PDB file of all heavy atoms in Angstrom:
ATOM      1  N   THR A 353     159.151 258.918  38.158  1.00 97.00           N
ATOM      2  CA  THR A 353     158.875 260.347  38.362  1.00 97.00           C
ATOM      3  C   THR A 353     157.943 260.539  39.553  1.00 97.00           C
ATOM      4  O   THR A 353     158.130 261.454  40.367  1.00 97.00           O
ATOM      5  CB  THR A 353     158.239 260.952  37.083  1.00 97.00           C
ATOM      6  OG1 THR A 353     159.148 260.756  36.007  1.00 97.00           O
ATOM      7  CG2 THR A 353     157.928 262.419  37.245  1.00 97.00           C
ATOM      8  N   LEU A 354     156.978 259.644  39.678  1.00 97.00           N
ATOM      9  CA  LEU A 354     155.998 259.794  40.764  1.00 97.00           C
ATOM     10  C   LEU A 354     156.558 259.329  42.115  1.00 97.00           C
ATOM     11  O   LEU A 354     155.935 259.541  43.151  1.00 97.00           O
ATOM     12  CB  LEU A 354     154.702 259.064  40.409  1.00 97.00           C
ATOM     13  CG  LEU A 354     153.982 259.677  39.197  1.00 97.00           C
ATOM     14  CD1 LEU A 354     152.791 258.833  38.778  1.00 97.00           C
ATOM     15  CD2 LEU A 354     153.549 261.122  39.465  1.00 97.00           C
ATOM     16  N   GLU A 355     157.758 258.695  42.078  1.00 98.00           N
ATOM     17  CA  GLU A 355     158.444 258.434  43.348  1.00 98.00           C
ATOM     18  C   GLU A 355     159.266 259.658  43.759  1.00 98.00           C
ATOM     19  O   GLU A 355     159.346 260.003  44.927  1.00 98.00           O
ATOM     20  CB  GLU A 355     159.364 257.215  43.217  1.00 98.00           C
ATOM     21  CG  GLU A 355     158.601 255.904  43.302  1.00 98.00           C
ATOM     22  CD  GLU A 355     159.453 254.722  42.845  1.00 98.00           C
ATOM     23  OE1 GLU A 355     160.684 254.753  43.020  1.00 98.00           O
ATOM     24  OE2 GLU A 355     158.864 253.776  42.289  1.00 98.00           O
ATOM     25  N   VAL A 356     159.859 260.313  42.749  1.00 98.00           N
ATOM     26  CA  VAL A 356     160.638 261.525  43.048  1.00 98.00           C
ATOM     27  C   VAL A 356     159.702 262.651  43.497  1.00 98.00           C
ATOM     28  O   VAL A 356     159.990 263.379  44.444  1.00 98.00           O
ATOM     29  CB  VAL A 356     161.467 261.957  41.816  1.00 98.00           C
ATOM     30  CG1 VAL A 356     162.114 263.315  42.045  1.00 98.00           C
ATOM     31  CG2 VAL A 356     162.534 260.906  41.493  1.00 98.00           C
ATOM     32  N   PHE A 357     158.578 262.796  42.791  1.00 98.00           N
ATOM     33  CA  PHE A 357     157.591 263.826  43.133  1.00 98.00           C
ATOM     34  C   PHE A 357     156.341 263.125  43.668  1.00 98.00           C
ATOM     35  O   PHE A 357     155.656 262.432  42.915  1.00 98.00           O
ATOM     36  CB  PHE A 357     157.190 264.633  41.886  1.00 98.00           C
ATOM     37  CG  PHE A 357     158.309 265.411  41.266  1.00 98.00           C
ATOM     38  CD1 PHE A 357     159.050 264.880  40.213  1.00 98.00           C
ATOM     39  CD2 PHE A 357     158.615 266.689  41.715  1.00 98.00           C
ATOM     40  CE1 PHE A 357     160.080 265.602  39.618  1.00 98.00           C
ATOM     41  CE2 PHE A 357     159.651 267.426  41.121  1.00 98.00           C
ATOM     42  CZ  PHE A 357     160.378 266.883  40.076  1.00 98.00           C
ATOM     43  N   ARG A 358     156.037 263.340  44.930  1.00 98.00           N
ATOM     44  CA  ARG A 358     154.813 262.723  45.480  1.00 98.00           C
ATOM     45  C   ARG A 358     153.661 263.697  45.312  1.00 98.00           C
ATOM     46  O   ARG A 358     153.702 264.819  45.820  1.00 98.00           O
ATOM     47  CB  ARG A 358     155.018 262.338  46.937  1.00 98.00           C
ATOM     48  CG  ARG A 358     156.002 261.203  47.032  1.00 98.00           C
ATOM     49  CD  ARG A 358     155.985 260.493  48.369  1.00 98.00           C
ATOM     50  NE  ARG A 358     157.345 260.032  48.645  1.00 98.00           N
ATOM     51  CZ  ARG A 358     158.234 260.726  49.354  1.00 98.00           C
ATOM     52  NH1 ARG A 358     157.912 261.877  49.919  1.00 98.00           N
ATOM     53  NH2 ARG A 358     159.442 260.246  49.532  1.00 98.00           N
ATOM     54  N   THR A 359     152.666 263.260  44.555  1.00 98.00           N
ATOM     55  CA  THR A 359     151.581 264.170  44.167  1.00 98.00           C
ATOM     56  C   THR A 359     150.315 263.903  44.971  1.00 98.00           C
ATOM     57  O   THR A 359     150.104 262.790  45.465  1.00 98.00           O
ATOM     58  CB  THR A 359     151.238 263.989  42.685  1.00 98.00           C
ATOM     59  OG1 THR A 359     150.869 262.618  42.480  1.00 98.00           O
ATOM     60  CG2 THR A 359     152.419 264.323  41.798  1.00 98.00           C
ATOM     61  N   GLY A 360     149.469 264.916  45.052  1.00 96.00           N
ATOM     62  CA  GLY A 360     148.195 264.749  45.756  1.00 96.00           C
ATOM     63  C   GLY A 360     147.022 264.789  44.796  1.00 96.00           C
ATOM     64  O   GLY A 360     145.876 264.631  45.199  1.00 96.00           O
ATOM     65  N   TYR A 361     147.283 265.016  43.497  1.00 98.00           N
ATOM     66  CA  TYR A 361     146.140 265.098  42.573  1.00 98.00           C
ATOM     67  C   TYR A 361     145.638 263.711  42.179  1.00 98.00           C
ATOM     68  O   TYR A 361     146.368 262.727  42.241  1.00 98.00           O
ATOM     69  CB  TYR A 361     146.436 265.989  41.366  1.00 98.00           C
ATOM     70  CG  TYR A 361     147.696 265.734  40.571  1.00 98.00           C
ATOM     71  CD1 TYR A 361     147.765 264.726  39.618  1.00 98.00           C
ATOM     72  CD2 TYR A 361     148.816 266.555  40.745  1.00 98.00           C
ATOM     73  CE1 TYR A 361     148.909 264.536  38.855  1.00 98.00           C
ATOM     74  CE2 TYR A 361     149.970 266.359  39.987  1.00 98.00           C
ATOM     75  CZ  TYR A 361     150.006 265.351  39.054  1.00 98.00           C
ATOM     76  OH  TYR A 361     151.134 265.166  38.305  1.00 98.00           O
ATOM     77  N   THR A 362     144.372 263.663  41.812  1.00 98.00           N
ATOM     78  CA  THR A 362     143.740 262.377  41.507  1.00 98.00           C
ATOM     79  C   THR A 362     143.040 262.429  40.153  1.00 98.00           C
ATOM     80  O   THR A 362     142.679 263.507  39.675  1.00 98.00           O
ATOM     81  CB  THR A 362     142.687 262.033  42.576  1.00 98.00           C
ATOM     82  OG1 THR A 362     141.745 263.125  42.641  1.00 98.00           O
ATOM     83  CG2 THR A 362     143.297 261.797  43.939  1.00 98.00           C
TER      84      THR A 362
END
Side-chain angles (χ1 to χ4, degrees):
T353 301
L354 295 173
E355 281 166 31
V356 172
F357 297 95
R358 291 196 212 94
T359 58
Y361 51 81
T362 56

